[in-house]
Amino acid sequence: MEPSLILKALSNETRRQILFWLKHPEDYFDETPYLEQGLTLKIGACVSDIQEQSGMAQSVVSSYLLMMQKAGLLEAERVGKWTFYRRNEKTIQDFAEYIRNEL
């Protein structure tokens, strides 16, 4: 865990919003297309769904997701041509402990 990368990732409102959406993806994303493919939102949310929810350009959302993945806040899983992102709860918990104990 690199706290400085996490702090930088969390300094942007949209990136924080993405983490919030992914905490309870069933509240923010339609699971129907996932179920049709034999998947659930437990795999994470597809980049296109996150992009649609944010209302931002796909390239911007992709760069945000990559930054959050490099910081350890997100995990990515590729299924066919699709990439799904979900929260990395271990890193989030470790960072919360770091804040509680170190700062």
Side-chain angles (χ1 to χ4, degrees):
M1 179 189 71
E2 294 184 47
S4 60
L5 289 177
I6 294 172
L7 288 166
K8 185 174 181 180
L10 294 176
S11 70
N12 176 280
E13 176 65 30
T14 302
R15 291 190 291 259
R16 290 192 308 273
Q17 192 69 50
I18 291 168
L19 275 179
F20 179 77
W21 296 331
L22 293 176
K23 186 171 187 178
H24 298 288
E26 64 280 356
D27 294 340
Y28 300 95
F29 304 103
D30 179 12
E31 192 169 37
T32 305
Y34 294 76
L35 296 172
E36 291 170 355
Q37 299 297 317
L39 304 169
T40 68
L41 284 169
K42 288 186 185 351
I43 195 170
C46 180
V47 174
S48 61
D49 289 340
I50 296 169
Q51 182 267 323
E52 184 178 320
Q53 181 73 12
S54 73
M56 301 180 89
Q58 190 270 336
S59 60
V60 173
V61 171
S62 290
S63 69
Y64 284 0
L65 294 170
L66 183 60
M67 178 186 205
M68 294 166 68
Q69 183 183 11
K70 287 181 178 179
L73 294 170
L74 297 179
E75 297 174 317
E77 185 168 341
R78 191 137 174 98
V79 177
K81 64 180 181 172
W82 306 104
T83 302
F84 298 88
Y85 286 89
R86 65 183 167 270
R87 290 165 48 110
N88 182 339
E89 296 298 339
K90 168 111 176 66
T91 298
I92 293 168
Q93 181 63 37
D94 289 349
F95 182 68
E97 288 178 30
Y98 167 81
I99 294 293
R100 189 173 27 259
N101 297 325
E102 301 295 327
L103 296 182

